[in-house]
Amino acid sequence: MGELPALAMYVIPRPSVRDDPHFGIRLGLVGALSVLAAAWLDPVMPTITAALPVGLVAAQRKAPAPLGIVVAPLAVCVLATVLAWFVTWVHPLAVVQAGAAWLVYFIGFRMILRTGATPGMLLVVFTILFSVIGMSGGGAVAVLRNELYLAALVALVVVPLSYVLVPPRTRARHVATPVPQRGRIATGAAIRATVLSALSFWLYAVMPPSDIMLAIMAALVLVFPTREAVFFEARQRMRATLYGSALALAALAVFPLSPHLPILLGLVFLAGYWVGQKMLHDPRPHMAFQNAYPAALALIVGALAAQDVAAAIASRVGLTLVGAFAAAFAVAWLDRLTGWRDEPAVAADPRPGAA
């Protein structure tokens, strides 16, 4: 029912009740522990601290590789270090910075389209973060880098702890099966890099730095290689944003009745448990639910500092959806105009008698 169109990049399958029946409990636990860490450490960008560990756990299937649990936060630190240095280096010249960001986007999208695997997506996401924040100056880049260090450290503690407390039933490990694309890959990557560069300026103009994790949702629609998949993903991002907004509004409506941290942590846990159960049992595409929980945490943590919670959430959701669908339409139109996915004609066999 509503499955992802064919010929899309690799999408993580839904978790299995047989392999991991307590997936929802683990997801809610990680969310609560991440919000607790954000409240205790008081970071400058609490949405990153709250959302990053949840995103890492939500993407896991079956039994995780112990080394993989450690490698993911370390990869975050490495990417943060390299991109912070790179953006700071090119920052003095705005034209050079824009061109450099476009080049990194192009490399990332080319990796995605050629292999279908996720490392290219990580490169694109982190480049968005640093290119958007980098427009505010070198000091903002240093802050973002340090916030990612902190979020990675929290993930390094919270994620293994969650698997110790709530282990999956199976010991088998998930094996990814990425789907590479055919056609003029460079053209498709150039289209997405150009649209994402324009979207980066939009995000910088309308989204405050504290909402940068939510803004990333508007950009991820571009990692999908076909027009059908791009619009499908845009719809799923809309569903995820709406689900996350509903969860955030529900939690923030109950929290003022007893404004104590344990109450907030309990509400965050229940939201994560609900999302996990939906991922396990709901027949609709599971990625909308998976992306809804980090969005909900970003909205909850970000809205707690706002005086008008409903208005803050409405503005964030509206800006995210406008950016996502504008990018999706632009990519779909340019894909159709260039026809980069059209396969070249197969040359006839010149040998006599060849079929």
Side-chain angles (χ1 to χ4, degrees), residues 40-134:
W40 178 46
L41 298 171
D42 193 22
V44 178
M45 297 179 178
T47 55
I48 294 179
T49 304
L52 181 63
V54 168
L56 293 177
V57 169
Q60 294 285 339
R61 299 294 182 266
K62 298 186 177 181
L67 183 60
I69 293 179
V70 176
V71 166
L74 292 179
V76 169
C77 294
V78 171
L79 275 174
T81 302
V82 173
L83 287 173
W85 167 81
F86 182 70
V87 171
T88 303
W89 180 51
V90 299
H91 174 70
L93 294 175
V95 175
V96 175
Q97 180 179 347
W102 185 94
L103 180 60
V104 179
Y105 289 151
F106 175 79
I107 293 171
F109 282 124
R110 193 172 186 274
M111 291 171 60
I112 293 169
L113 296 176
R114 181 169 292 278
T115 66
T118 55
M121 186 171 67
L122 294 177
L123 179 60
V124 168
V125 167
F126 274 78
T127 306
I128 298 168
L129 285 170
F130 280 97
S131 63
V132 172
I133 294 295

Side-chain angles (χ1 to χ4, degrees), residues 198-258:
L199 182 58
S200 297
F201 284 104
W202 160 257
L203 296 177
Y204 171 71
V206 302
M207 298 293 280
S210 59
D211 292 336
I212 193 65
M213 290 302 291
L214 185 64
I216 293 301
M217 296 184 67
L220 289 182
V221 299
L222 303 183
V223 304
F224 288 84
T226 67
R227 293 189 299 273
E228 297 80 4
V230 165
F231 279 117
F232 178 89
E233 180 63 11
R235 291 193 297 270
Q236 300 316 304
R237 294 290 165 182
M238 180 182 71
R239 288 181 55 214
T241 304
L242 294 176
Y243 292 159
S245 302
L247 289 171
L249 285 172
L252 293 170
V254 174
F255 179 62
L257 303 177
S258 181

